[in-house]
Amino acid sequence: MNGIGGVIAAVLVAGAQIAAVAVGGPLLVGVMRKVRCHIEGRVGPPIHQPLRDLRKLFSKQCMRPDQASWVFGVGPVVLVATAVLIAAISPLATTHPPLGQTADFFAIVFVLLLGSVALALAALDTGTPFGGMGSSRAMTIGALAEPALLVAILAMSIPAHTSNLPALVRIGLAHPQLIASPERFLALGSFLVVILAESGRLPVDNPSTHLELTMIHEAMVLEYAGPDLGLVILGESMRLALLLGLLVNLLAPWGIADRAGAAALVIGLGALVGKVVVAGIVIATFEVFTAKLRLFRLPELLAGAFVLAVVGAFTALVVR
Amino acid sequence: MSNLSLVITAIAGLSAAIAGCALPAKTRVHAAVAFTWGACIAALVGSLTVLHTGHAMVLNSSRILPLTGVTMVLDPLGAVFVVVTAVVAIASTLYWLGYASHGLSTRTASAALPIFVTSMLLVPAAGSVATFLWLWELMALSSLLLVLVDQRRREETRSAAQWYAVMTHVGASAILFALVMLSAHAGNQTFAAIRIHAVHLPAAVRNTAFLLALVGFGSKAGAVPLHVWLPKAHPEAPSPASALMSGAMVNLGIYGIVLVGDRLLGGGPAWWWLTVTAVGVVSALFGALHAATSTDLKRLLAYSTADNMGLVLIGVGASGLFATTGHPAIAAIAMVSALLLTVNHAAFKGSLFLSAGSVQVATGSRDLDGMGGLLRRMPITGAVFLVGGLAIAALPPLNGFVGEWLLFQSLLHGLPTSSTAVAIAVPVGVAALALTGGLTAAAFVKAIGVGFLGRPRSEGAATAHEVPRTMQLGAALLAGACVVLGVVPMIVLPALERATAAAVPGAPAHSLRSSVELRLAGLQGVLAPALLAAGLALAFIAVIAIRRLAQRRSHLRLALRRAEPWGCGRELQTARMQYTATSFAEPLQQVFDDVLRPDRDLNVSHLAESRYYTEKIAYRTSIGDVVEHNVYRPMIGAVNAWGQWARGLQNGSVHRYLAYGLVVLVVILAVIV
């Protein structure tokens, strides 16, 4: 695996993962909507409706607030670009993604944060009250979710002696008893809460609300239209797919390609899609039976996630 | 030859001060800046030589200072701090050229600024107690003069300078006691002699010296609870001086702690370093929280300095802990991360303070609640602040991220190999690092978003113009350093490893292997900042290209249209309806209500006719410093009360004074007999 052949193989793997996330992300949102509608006794839009929406948005005229600076236009591009980078280098379909050695969990978290910050800044650039409202709330939740996330990473990294993501997944494959260990479960529980918070799902934020004063994410992107809005929606669904993909691969790595080769990669992609869809269905089902929490009750939820992660870290130290 | 650069630095610095003092107003600043650059360049050459060769630079002279003489030893650890100071000083003095017309061209200021810079360049080269204390005091006094520049116009400046003077001298006396105690036991005042004798010192002396040094240097570094001067003096000082104080001077507090703890005493028991880590955690969280809720731009930056120094202290403490538990390799990584965080902080905080000064010049205010839309009016300054703000929020591909990654890695790898105390301290440290990161991101989204984006909230912001070129350039220089250090941190890492080898006993020569990627030696941890940056750039271009392609395929082919923001269909939208810095921070303020204890005041006045109708509602909120209110205010009150009581002794009556004389005489006789 070196020379030009290696580079081409790496580009192909990266391309496959990016394509899977870019197409799979909107489809995942479609599946989750469908599941929700099904349980609520409605028919619901077809699963590929989000993709159709994107096509429609990308063919529309670009429209921006008159006072906004270049930051408003760059925000969604950065959001999607960070998701694309993470999709390329994370262990989603294979445990040997290109540049996998630099796919540190800590680095991935901060690349994701770059996307969130870009969107929060763009929201403030609109000069409307709603932009500021969404931005302020999103940054507050992000700040409170951060400790839980990093300590969860620490708890998972202690037994593995590394915070490199592909290595964490590989160790799970080689030593299944590490996955069944309490610290992994505690840390992944905490990670799941953080995923719900970061991707604006219930009980943190209601993705289908447009009620002015309760919304967080929708308030931030209220002024976007046309292709800009398309990028925002694409970026958000990619992030959801990415985070769920990482979660399922840390929880159940089986099926992921551990060797080079096209067949293994295809199986890996199939396994990824299957696992993420199951995770999406579970979350969508959970959302049907949950109400949104008040904004000022959220710190308690995130503090709970933090405690889970800290207990996980201590367990990892005691059990070692 | 080898010590020539130190001599040139001192002479050039002195000439700059004389030029600033003696020349007429027109040429004063230019001459002072030119000589200061000479001093900086000489110091840079000298310290880079030291870092390259690894040999210390020595200068001994018994003729300069009476009784004690001057001993200068510049080793790789000090050289790192000299380089940082020199670079920040070059950028700040360049900025000063444009800023001088805003009250910084007086004789005092033009003399004090070069002395301040020169003393900071020489402090890390001091090789004996007397030399160190002289230079330290010179640095304190010249910076005090700079804080006082605006005192005729502003009442707050005087009060801030008073706080600074008291805190810096309390710190200096603690340092004095610590160093004098050590040199008395060693019987010699050079650092080299102290280092040899320190091993044989009784534990009580070592502990006292370390704690005193921690107090003294901690107050300089802005460690909570000794930080109170920082959010007062930094905002009131003129911006080039704030940049120097925050980018270079506070670092020397860190240098002092490493100097006494690691170099002179050669490390100590675990509780020393647990204390340092605890102080770091408290400073980081307290500083970040206040930065997230401040509305004064420079006050925000000052609190964020306390936060960053807290992170550095976590690194220093972790390094000491791992060294005591017998893991010098991991201790070395922690120390490199602490030094890298210091270097990074100098770069972004310098650029942030300088561009905040430009904003203050352009809008006439430091209040974020009255700003907005400055990026369109001041594109360069705005871009510099954006880069600095994203760097300090530790976002890749900028420099803050690399330092925090390294700190996280050292904590992660040090954890499984150590004792119970460390096992408790480390997850707490990681949590603090994370919460600080999140709060800092919120603070700087607020500063950038409210200050530079959106619509102007005041007349000053609406009519702002870009500042002179030299000011833009000075700030942009440091912002450029943020980008370079973020993409290719390898260029400074060998130097930091040399410095670490000088500071941490038993550290391996190479704790990191770096080429394109950063690799922890002997451990699993790799980061390739350049590849991450390239990947991000590639993805960014690809997304734009695909978007263009999708647009081209559209049958409409319409150009970009600008329109009024929709705002949920509101008819009337004014700039006043935007979120301000206060409202942005309100959720965080509510969440951390118990720590911040904001002062709220709500006045509802009713119409005379009926209490059911309100005439107006006045709401006021302010966030004071809890430490200042609960620790310092009572202390000041007690001292004042004691002073009032003592005034009763002196009422002007001669009889009473004669009686005092008699009583004292009797007491003395009684004691002697």
Side-chain angles (χ1 to χ4, degrees):
Chain A
M1 270 278 282
N2 44 23
I4 294 180
V7 172
I8 293 175
V11 169
L12 283 180
V13 170
Q17 293 205 133
I18 294 169
V21 173
V23 178
L27 284 179
L28 174 67
V29 174
V31 168
M32 289 172 79
R33 279 189 196 149
K34 192 77 179 175
V35 168
R36 199 173 167 162
C37 288
H38 193 75
I39 297 176
E40 288 171 346
R42 295 182 281 133
V43 177
I47 286 170
H48 62 281
Q49 185 62 38
L51 282 176
R52 283 179 174 170
D53 290 346
L54 284 179
R55 211 183 84 191
K56 178 188 73 185
L57 287 170
F58 276 113
S59 62
K60 281 190 159 193
Q61 183 180 17
C62 190
M63 198 162 143
R64 288 178 191 163
D66 45 11
Q67 290 267 338
S69 67
W70 54 265
V71 172
F72 185 80
V74 166
V77 181
V78 172
L79 183 74
V80 177
T82 51
V84 167
L85 176 68
I86 296 171
I89 65 174
S90 298
L92 295 171
T94 166
T95 54
H96 296 277
L99 300 185
Q101 76 278 17
T102 195
D104 195 281
F105 213 150
F106 189 85
I108 298 286
V109 166
F110 277 82
V111 172
L112 274 177
L113 185 64
L114 175 66
S116 322
V117 164
L119 205 60
L121 284 176
L124 280 167
D125 203 15
T126 57
T128 62
F130 292 106
M133 187 185 293
S135 175
S136 156
R137 290 173 182 175
M139 290 314 293
T140 304
I141 293 172
L144 297 176
E146 199 95 327
L149 182 53
L150 283 200
V151 178
I153 294 175
L154 181 75
M156 284 187 262
S157 307
I158 291 168
H161 297 288
T162 177
S163 57
N164 182 275
L165 258 177
L168 283 177
V169 175
R170 275 200 297 275
I171 287 169
L173 268 182
H175 308 279
Q177 74 273 16
L178 269 182
I179 295 178
S181 64
E183 73 265 17
R184 206 30 110 87
F185 271 115
L186 289 165
L188 286 177
S190 167
F191 188 40
L192 178 64
V193 175
V194 173
I195 291 178
L196 294 181
E198 289 284 337
S199 52
R201 310 297 303 188
L202 282 172
V204 175
D205 188 14
N206 188 347
S208 52
T209 187
H210 273 281
L211 190 63
E212 293 171 1
L213 294 174
T214 61
M215 53 195 182
I216 301 173
H217 178 72
E218 284 299 321
M220 275 206 287
V221 303
L222 202 58
E223 296 303 327
Y224 279 111
D228 289 333
L229 182 60
L231 282 180
V232 170
I233 292 175
L234 177 66
E236 286 300 330
S237 59
M238 283 176 78
R239 283 160 71 101
L240 178 64
L242 275 173
L243 288 169
L244 286 185
L246 291 180
L247 178 75
V248 294
N249 274 349
L250 287 169
L251 187 66
W254 301 285
I256 193 168
D258 203 20
R259 285 170 286 109
L265 186 65
V266 170
I267 295 174
L269 278 175
L272 175 74
V273 169
K275 285 182 285 187
V276 170
V277 164
V278 170
I281 292 173
V282 171
I283 291 178
T285 314
F286 165 77
E287 283 189 324
V288 174
F289 300 102
T290 324
K292 184 179 170 305
L293 276 178
R294 266 186 66 209
L295 184 65
F296 289 105
R297 292 288 303 281
L298 286 181
E300 295 165 25
L301 176 74
L302 294 168
F306 173 64
V307 170
L308 278 185
V310 170
V311 173
F314 287 145
T315 318
L317 287 171
V318 174
V319 171
R320 73 166 190 263
Chain B
M1 180 59 210
S2 62
N3 53 30
L4 197 61
S5 78
L6 286 175
V7 180
I8 297 178
T9 305
I11 292 174
L14 210 60
S15 322
I18 293 169
C21 210
L23 289 179
K26 260 187 183 172
T27 51
R28 188 186 291 157
V29 172
H30 286 89
V33 168
F35 279 117
T36 312
W37 280 12
C40 290
I41 289 167
L44 262 183
V45 170
S47 45
L48 289 179
T49 316
V50 168
L51 285 172
H52 187 69
T53 59
H55 299 302
M57 183 183 284
V58 184
L59 173 73
N60 271 308
S61 166
S62 52
R63 276 170 299 178
I64 302 178
L65 280 180
L67 298 177
T68 58
V70 166
T71 309
M72 308 282 273
V73 180
L74 184 62
D75 61 4
L77 177 68
V80 166
F81 287 86
V82 175
V83 171
V84 170
T85 307
V87 172
V88 176
I90 287 177
S92 312
T93 43
L94 182 64
Y95 181 90
W96 183 26
L97 285 177
Y99 189 90
S101 54
H102 301 280
L104 204 61
S105 60
T106 58
R107 268 176 215 287
T108 326
S110 314
L113 204 118
I115 292 183
F116 181 41
V117 170
T118 314
S119 53
M120 282 195 296
L121 288 173
L122 293 179
V123 163
S128 71
V129 171
T131 319
F132 186 88
L133 289 173
W134 272 104
L135 289 167
W136 188 264
E137 197 53 31
L138 197 62
M139 175 178 91
L141 288 179
S142 53
S143 56
L144 182 59
L145 280 180
L146 288 171
V147 173
L148 271 169
V149 162
D150 264 344
Q151 55 104 5
R152 294 231 173 97
R153 272 181 291 164
R154 295 172 55 86
E155 179 65 34
E156 298 93 320
T157 305
R158 257 170 279 168
S159 140
Q162 235 163 26
W163 277 92
Y164 177 46
V166 171
M167 289 310 293
T168 202
H169 280 95
V170 168
S173 41
I175 296 169
L176 178 77
F177 276 118
L179 291 182
V180 167
M181 204 159 74
L182 288 178
S183 64
H185 276 88
N188 188 323
Q189 55 124 356
T190 60
F191 286 165
I194 292 178
R195 198 172 313 146
I196 295 164
H197 282 85
V199 194
H200 314 296
L201 286 180
V205 175
R206 289 168 58 89
N207 291 343
T208 321
F210 181 75
L211 287 180
L212 279 173
L214 186 62
V215 168
F217 291 117
S219 82
K220 193 52 100 185
V224 176
L226 301 164
H227 68 288
V228 278
W229 62 273
L230 215 116
K232 294 173 186 294
H234 279 29
E236 292 302 330
S239 291
S242 325
L244 278 169
M245 285 168 81
S246 194
M249 188 179 74
V250 293
N251 298 343
L252 297 180
I254 303 295
Y255 170 74
I257 292 172
V258 177
L259 174 78
V260 174
D262 287 315
R263 298 275 285 139
L264 296 187
L265 296 175
W271 67 264
W272 285 13
W273 304 110
L274 280 174
T275 313
V276 173
T277 313
V279 169
V281 165
V282 171
S283 307
L285 288 179
F286 191 86
L289 200 50
H290 270 278
T293 50
S294 294
T295 56
D296 178 324
L297 185 54
K298 284 177 83 176
R299 195 175 151 88
L300 184 157
L301 295 179
Y303 270 118
S304 127
T305 300
D307 145 20
N308 277 278
M309 287 301 121
L311 292 184
V312 176
L313 285 178
I314 294 178
V316 171
S319 164
L321 268 180
F322 298 146
T324 7
T325 48
H327 297 92
I330 300 170
I333 296 174
M335 183 55 81
V336 171
S337 81
L339 292 175
L340 186 61
L341 286 167
T342 314
V343 172
N344 288 340
H345 175 253
F348 46 64
K349 194 51 68 64
S351 73
L352 286 169
F353 260 119
L354 292 181
S355 41
S358 304
V359 169
Q360 194 182 355
V361 166
T363 64
S365 158
R366 302 194 310 247
D367 188 11
L368 273 174
D369 285 350
M371 289 179 195
L374 289 175
L375 186 62
R376 288 166 72 93
R377 282 161 199 83
M378 307 169 72
I380 305 284
T381 305
V384 166
F385 197 92
L386 185 70
V387 170
L390 295 182
I392 203 171
L395 297 175
L398 297 163
N399 60 350
F401 167 67
V402 186
E404 293 201 10
W405 178 81
L406 212 51
L407 181 57
F408 178 79
Q409 290 298 329
S410 72
L411 292 178
L412 163 66
H413 289 293
L415 190 53
T417 51
S418 40
S419 63
T420 320
V422 182
I424 293 171
V426 167
V428 173
V430 169
L433 183 69
L435 187 56
T436 309
L439 289 173
T440 311
F444 282 88
V445 164
K446 178 187 73 182
I448 299 168
V450 175
F452 293 86
L453 306 176
R455 287 187 280 175
R457 294 177 180 76
S458 70
E459 188 63 34
T463 56
H465 287 293
E466 190 58 281
V467 288
R469 280 261 180 257
T470 45
M471 287 168 75
Q472 297 172 24
L473 203 63
L477 199 67
L478 292 173
C482 291
V483 178
V484 172
L485 286 173
V487 178
V488 276
M490 298 86 199
I491 54 171
V492 293
L493 285 176
L496 299 186
E497 280 180 347
R498 280 252 158 78
T500 301
V504 179
H510 294 290
S511 45
L512 297 158
R513 280 181 284 144
S514 53
S515 49
V516 180
E517 47 190 35
L518 211 70
R519 196 178 280 274
L520 309 182
L523 299 167
Q524 286 190 61
V526 182
L527 184 74
L531 293 181
L532 272 185
L536 266 179
L538 205 66
F540 187 83
I541 294 168
V543 172
I544 289 183
I546 289 172
R547 201 192 119 138
R548 280 268 165 81
L549 214 67
Q551 285 276 288
R552 185 160 298 171
R553 281 189 51 207
S554 142
H555 53 100
L556 293 166
R557 297 198 183 190
L558 294 168
L560 169 71
R561 194 176 131 207
R562 295 258 173 199
E564 284 251 312
W566 179 57
C568 276
R570 240 159 243 274
E571 287 282 311
L572 174 80
Q573 302 212 31
T574 65
R576 277 204 57 185
M577 290 165 69
Q578 295 176 90
Y579 255 45
T580 59
T582 314
S583 40
F584 188 93
E586 210 272 344
L588 276 175
Q589 186 190 313
Q590 276 211 29
V591 172
F592 293 100
D593 203 48
D594 294 337
V595 189
L596 292 167
R597 294 176 190 278
D599 190 11
R600 289 201 196 86
D601 200 6
L602 183 65
N603 270 321
V604 185
S605 46
H606 301 279
L607 283 178
E609 290 80 22
S610 163
R611 281 194 54 81
Y612 295 106
Y613 295 97
T614 46
E615 189 184 2
K616 63 175 181 185
I617 299 174
Y619 176 70
R620 197 184 53 77
T621 175
S622 67
I623 300 177
D625 196 309
V626 182
V627 176
E628 186 191 321
H629 280 278
N630 296 340
V631 180
Y632 287 87
R633 294 283 170 196
M635 220 144 72
I636 295 170
V639 171
N640 272 343
W642 184 66
Q644 285 295 340
W645 176 81
R647 276 175 79 177
L649 293 174
Q650 187 189 19
N651 64 350
S653 148
V654 179
H655 302 351
R656 194 185 263 207
Y657 295 162
L658 286 173
Y660 289 157
L662 183 69
V663 169
V664 170
L665 188 69
V666 169
V667 169
I668 290 175
L669 283 175
V671 169
I672 293 171
V673 174

